[in-house]
Amino acid sequence: MPSIASFNKRLSSLRSERSSFIPLYRELSDYHLAHRGRFLVSNNDNNKGHKRNTRQINNTSRVASRVLSSGLMAGVTSPARPWFRLSSGDIALDESQAVKMWLHAVQQLMYKVYAHSNLYNSLHQIYSELGVFAIGAMGVYHDFENVIWCRPYTVGSYMVALNGKNEADTFYREYAETVGQLVKGFGINNVSAPVRDQWNRGDTEAWVHLVHAIEPNDDRDRSSPLARHKAFRSVYYETGKGKGVKPNQFLRESGFNRFPVVVPRWDVTAEDAYATDCPGMTALGDTKALQLAERRHAQMVDKEADPPLQGPSTIKNALDNGRVGAGDVIAVPTTGGGLSSIYDFKPNLVAVENKIEKIERRIDVAFYKPLFLMLAETDRRDITAREVAEKHEEKLLMLGPVLERLHTELLDPIIDRTFDLLQDNGVLPEPPEELRDRDLSVEYVSVLAQAQRLVATGAIDRLTQYTSAVSAVWPAARHKININKSVDEYAGALGVDPAMVNSNDEAQAMADAEAQAQAQAQAMAQAEQSANVAKTASETSTAGDSVLNAAMQQAGAQ
């Protein structure tokens, strides 16, 4: 394990690499999301309630960013509906009913874990920072009660580095905890002597500066079962700031088999570790212009309502503090004249208001607000289902690249990490033989992801309608469609419970049973008809001059 000095050396390098982004993050925080970000780690800006949004006169960007984060939450990872589905990665294998049922059982177990953990609350914070700062970070750690426990981190407090695949594999964080939190979290024997002294004196609310580092453990002992020899090492240690001493031991040494921190980014340039484009960055210039326009508009209104005045000096003694209030009666000498405005100022408030509205619309568009509120803001009540589907496809078109990056950098790692923890704790049901030693894949069925799949259902609808129409003229055309396959594809596109769709073998068995029952019914009907005919013939009289008697005599003569 490297020494604290080695970690501090890399921390300094990572801090230097991130330094050029700090002024930008400060501006984004000031103009969009006040009280987001940690930029005063050395002086500790935890639990500071001072006003930080002094530059926000018009809150358009703040509201728009809130709509964006809520829209992503509802459209990508809604707690109210399924948003992912497990698959074997083999279409033929997915047809197995045993495989379907096992995958569905695991999905339901994972959804239960997410519902009982703090994942959804944490994801909303990640979406907020992702839309404004273009980057987010969240740790997914093991929890004995709820399997996972998530910790979202705010921008400015952490640094990241990438591996050769441009995937985040290094995470350094500078933060602060109170003496009480430190001792309870790491134990009195692991903290430094100055912290121990503070604890013994009862100074439990003093702040202590810490570093948490997670990075690849390349020089580990691969044969060791110890946590600190896992694929990624994790260490906590005190920085010693303000204590006058340098700690010489770690607070905790541990490790992870899989990198536990997810680092989604909005849009990345080449191999950059930090994203360089997002709605917050796009709208920053307009937001600055909006605040300036609002300030000028307020000044115009103020000057028009209370303009600077001029008048003869003889009136000065009659004024109260040199000002004229509403309803005041001022005695004016007959030869001196009254008060008048210094200049003839008539501001064009309408033009300024129109300009403000244009800037607000540009900010809303930058944050995708019209897309997420396209149905809520419409006055139409006769909108059709097809129009709704097309609008969802339009939304997907605008967010498609971002959605794919969210799948890769945010959701895939969360699902993989959860699956690993469930497996390590022996909670997963016994898999069928076909899935043993086989990697699983993930398909996303959220509102936005499923908009892509709705294109497939539309194609199936049109094909079946066309085939039904032509089959009325050419009946053989109906044999061109594999109806069982089309139902499976349709159900898969809609993301329904696989238990609702029977397998091909079950469907064939039902069809065979129906055919057998129909054949038995026909046979019984024919037997009953034959019995009735025989009964009628036996009860018919052959005496006298009846037609039947004549026919029998003729048959006998022949």
Side-chain angles (χ1 to χ4, degrees), residues 23-33 132-133 280-281 284:
L24 175 60
Y25 292 155
R26 283 177 175 273
E27 271 197 320
L28 292 170
S29 176
D30 290 341
Y31 283 99
H32 297 311
L33 285 179
V132 172
F133 303 108
M281 295 180 182
L284 183 57

Side-chain angles (χ1 to χ4, degrees), residues 257-312:
N257 290 323
R258 186 188 295 272
F259 189 58
V261 181
V262 294
V263 186
R265 297 167 296 172
W266 190 275
D267 190 17
V268 181
T269 301
E271 63 279 356
D272 288 354
Y274 298 93
T276 52
D277 189 25
C278 68
M281 295 180 182
T282 301
L284 183 57
D286 278 329
T287 304
K288 289 182 176 181
L290 178 61
Q291 308 311 321
L292 179 60
E294 283 284 2
R295 189 175 291 109
R296 293 289 184 264
H297 181 269
Q299 290 173 347
M300 291 179 183
V301 172
D302 190 43
K303 286 185 177 182
E304 188 175 29
D306 189 13
L309 303 176
Q310 63 180 353

Side-chain angles (χ1 to χ4, degrees), residues 192-212:
S192 63
V195 174
R196 250 191 322 268
D197 293 340
Q198 288 178 307
W199 171 263
N200 293 330
R201 294 196 307 267
D203 191 9
T204 59
E205 299 306 311
W207 289 97
V208 182
H209 296 278
L210 309 173
V211 172
H212 179 204

Side-chain angles (χ1 to χ4, degrees), residues 501-520:
V501 182
N502 292 320
S503 66
N504 290 339
D505 293 339
E506 290 174 334
Q508 187 61 46
M510 292 179 181
D512 293 341
E514 288 181 356
Q516 184 177 0
Q518 186 176 4
Q520 290 176 350

Side-chain angles (χ1 to χ4, degrees), residues 51 60 62 198 344 394 465 523:
K51 190 174 182 180
T60 297
R62 191 166 189 171
Q198 288 178 307
D344 187 12
E394 177 186 1
Q465 291 172 5

Side-chain angles (χ1 to χ4, degrees), residues 52 84 161 228 262 271-272 297 306 310 390 404 407-409 477 483 541:
R52 282 176 52 178
F84 77 93
R228 67 172 182 265
V262 294
E271 63 279 356
D272 288 354
H297 181 269
D306 189 13
Q310 63 180 353
E390 290 178 351
E404 293 300 324
H407 290 169
T408 303
E409 296 185 347
I483 190 62
S541 175

